[in-house]
């Protein structure tokens, strides 16, 4: 970034993070999911092959010819936000940014050699300046983390899977990688949300943006606390059947549900880790080469253990009880699943001494799967 670029930032003062590493804001689940993705059988072979086949030049020419490139002359306020975000996160090269005509609010960061940021007109028209600043920071966070490469592969493979759906084995092989990529990308969105907060430095604006993506431009009809309460209700509602339905609902999506994202970001904004970054204490890119892979795994394992321990989801609570020695794995899990899903031919398991009955189903089912993506 040139000196002139660095000087062209909005008037409201924000803290800057020179040399910040993406490790500072990456969600532990993002890192562990990416490691698991790379270990997926056949992924390296497919990825190397696709890197040479993907029509990236064609993609760039497509946006150049049929979208509006953000600059001082076009969407100047977005250009200021982009430069500001790159300045704050110390991303040396400002990626090209395009606005494309699409009523659906969305944004993405794609590209193999160099990242490209694309935002839709639906998103630009929906969000105010501070909300949009968080989105731009979100996409710059993707660029800094190197997420654009895998996002591009995911887009290509998803389209390819649809084209060869008539080939049973070929489709199964590709969908296995697509499913793994989606699992990783959902986690990477949590990381990018954190980057957006570091850029915007306005948690209320981040919350409002997520609410608008979920409920449209009717902010006077919505409430942040009530929206976050939905996330809590979603996590702890229902029985084991609802837990399974949650998993099935999220599988086709590339993004986590908006209430879940809002709750995760709010929790991080109140954490000691966030405050340390804001105070200027954070990992530097110059230290990335010395990072211990073992430590990354340990941090991810600790995150998952904490998630299981504190989760209000019925399935996660059951897993936590079993891991904590509260019962026999096969007996507890089998008995509670039989109760939750209407029983089985073997009949209910006799409870151990002091054990409560398994959660009984009430016949409710979850909502239909929502597959729309945003941000």
């Amino acid at each position: 970034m040139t000196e002139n670029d660095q000087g062209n930032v909005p008037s409201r003062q924000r803290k800057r993070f020179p040399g910040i590493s993406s490790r500072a804001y990456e969600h532990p689940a993002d890192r562990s999911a990416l490691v698991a993705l790379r270990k997926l059988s056949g992924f390296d072979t497919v990825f190397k092959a696709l890197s040479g086949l993907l029509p990236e030049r064609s993609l760039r020419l497509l946006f150049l010819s049929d979208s509006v490139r953000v600059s001082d002359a076009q969407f100047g306020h977005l250009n200021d936000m982009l430069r500001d975000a790159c300045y704050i996160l110390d991303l040396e090269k400002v990626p090209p940014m395009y606005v494309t005509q699409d009523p659906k609010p969305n944004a993405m960061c794609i590209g193999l050699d160099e990242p490209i940021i694309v935002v839709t007109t639906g998103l630009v028209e929906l969000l105010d300046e501070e909300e949009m600043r968080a989105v731009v920071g979100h996409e710059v966070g993707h660029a800094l983390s190197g997420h654009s490469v895998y996002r591009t592969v995911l887009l290509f493979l998803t389209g390819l899977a649809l084209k060869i759906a008539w080939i049973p084995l070929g489709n199964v092989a590709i969908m296995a990688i697509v499913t793994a990529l989606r699992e990783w990308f959902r986690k990477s969105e949590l990381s990018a949300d954190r980057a957006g907060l570091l850029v915007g430095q306005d948690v209320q604006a981040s919350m409002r943006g997520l609410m608008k993506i979920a409920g449209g431009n009717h902010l006077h009809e919505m409430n942040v606390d009530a929206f976050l309460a939905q996330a809590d209700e979603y996590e702890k509602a229902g029985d084991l059947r609802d837990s399974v339905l949650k998993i099935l609902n999220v599988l086709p999506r590339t993004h986590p549900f908006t209430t879940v994202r809002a709750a995760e970001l709010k929790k991080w904004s109140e954490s000691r880790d966030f405050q340390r970054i804001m105070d200027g204490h954070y990992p530097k890119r110059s230290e990335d080469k010395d990072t211990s892979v073992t430590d990354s795994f340990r941090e991810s394992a600790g995150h998952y253990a904490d998630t299981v321990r504190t989760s209000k989801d019925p399935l996660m609570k059951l897993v936590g009880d079993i891991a904590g020695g509260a019962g026999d794995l096969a007996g507890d899990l089998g008995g509670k699943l039989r109760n939750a899903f209407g029983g089985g031919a073997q009949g209910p398991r006799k409870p151990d001494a002091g054990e409560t009955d398994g959660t009984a189903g009430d016949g409710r089912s979850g909502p239909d799967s929502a597959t729309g993506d945003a941000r």
Side-chain angles (χ1 to χ4, degrees), residues 276-288:
R276 282 181 57 81
I277 296 174
M278 295 304 295
D279 290 341
H281 305 293
Y282 51 82
K284 303 290 181 66
R285 290 199 287 274
S286 59
E287 304 164 351
D288 283 351

Side-chain angles (χ1 to χ4, degrees), residues 96-107:
M97 182 175 178
Y98 293 89
V99 176
T100 189
Q101 172 64 24
D102 187 342
K104 181 179 178 181
N106 205 353

Side-chain angles (χ1 to χ4, degrees), residues 72-323:
D72 287 334
Q74 301 186 119
F75 289 101
H77 71 293
L78 293 182
N79 197 42
D80 287 343
M81 289 182 197
L82 178 61
R83 290 178 177 179
D84 188 28
C86 292
Y87 177 71
I88 288 174
L89 294 181
D90 200 15
L91 185 63
E92 183 175 353
K93 186 171 183 180
V94 179
M97 182 175 178
Y98 293 89
V99 176
T100 189
Q101 172 64 24
D102 187 342
K104 181 179 178 181
N106 205 353
M108 61 182 174
C109 181
I110 55 175
L112 295 177
D113 296 328
E114 295 180 357
I116 304 173
I117 295 174
V118 182
V119 298
T120 66
T121 52
L123 190 66
V124 174
E125 293 164 3
L126 178 67
L127 304 183
D128 68 24
E129 182 175 348
E130 291 303 305
E131 295 156 7
M132 194 68 200
R133 192 183 305 282
V135 171
V136 174
H138 173 109
E139 299 305 328
V140 170
H142 276 313
L144 183 58
S145 292
H147 291 161
S148 62
V149 175
Y150 297 102
R151 173 61 163 160
T152 306
V153 173
L154 174 58
L155 288 172
F156 179 80
L157 286 179
T158 302
L160 182 61
L162 294 175
K163 293 178 182 178
I164 66 168
W166 58 276
I167 307 176
L169 293 180
N171 188 51
V172 168
I174 289 178
M175 285 309 298
I177 295 177
V178 167
T179 300
L181 274 166
R182 282 176 176 162
E183 169 61 19
W184 159 73
F185 197 77
R186 285 191 294 269
K187 301 301 187 293
S188 76
E189 286 297 294
L190 302 178
S191 297
D193 283 343
R194 294 177 174 186
L197 179 57
L198 290 177
V199 167
Q201 299 176 23
D202 183 346
V203 68
Q204 290 301 314
S206 293
M207 294 294 106
R208 292 198 311 269
L210 288 168
M211 279 200 309
K212 284 185 176 180
I213 289 171
N217 194 17
H218 301 280
L219 200 58
H220 63 288
E221 298 285 355
M222 295 184 280
N223 178 276
V224 170
D225 292 335
F227 188 66
L228 292 171
Q230 287 181 225
D232 186 62
E233 182 180 349
Y234 171 79
E235 182 183 6
K236 66 184 180 183
D239 53 25
L240 291 177
R241 286 175 300 180
D242 293 302
S243 297
V244 173
L245 287 171
K246 292 176 190 176
I247 296 172
L248 295 177
N249 283 345
V250 81
L251 281 178
R253 298 174 58 93
T254 56
H255 290 58
F257 293 116
T258 47
T259 57
V260 175
R261 290 171 63 185
E264 284 279 346
L265 186 60
K266 185 69 161 56
K267 182 167 63 176
W268 188 67
S269 73
E270 297 169 347
S271 70
R272 184 171 178 269
D273 289 341
F274 175 73
Q275 190 56 54
R276 282 181 57 81
I277 296 174
M278 295 304 295
D279 290 341
H281 305 293
Y282 51 82
K284 303 290 181 66
R285 290 199 287 274
S286 59
E287 304 164 351
D288 283 351
K289 62 182 182 301
D290 301 321
T291 303
S292 168
V293 176
T294 302
D295 289 344
S296 296
F297 272 118
R298 186 179 296 113
E299 183 180 355
S300 297
H303 162 74
Y304 279 114
D306 184 63
T307 298
V308 170
R309 184 175 64 255
T310 60
S311 176
K312 301 171 185 176
D313 181 83
L315 182 57
M316 288 297 100
K317 289 174 67 177
L318 176 58
V319 171
D321 288 345
I322 293 171

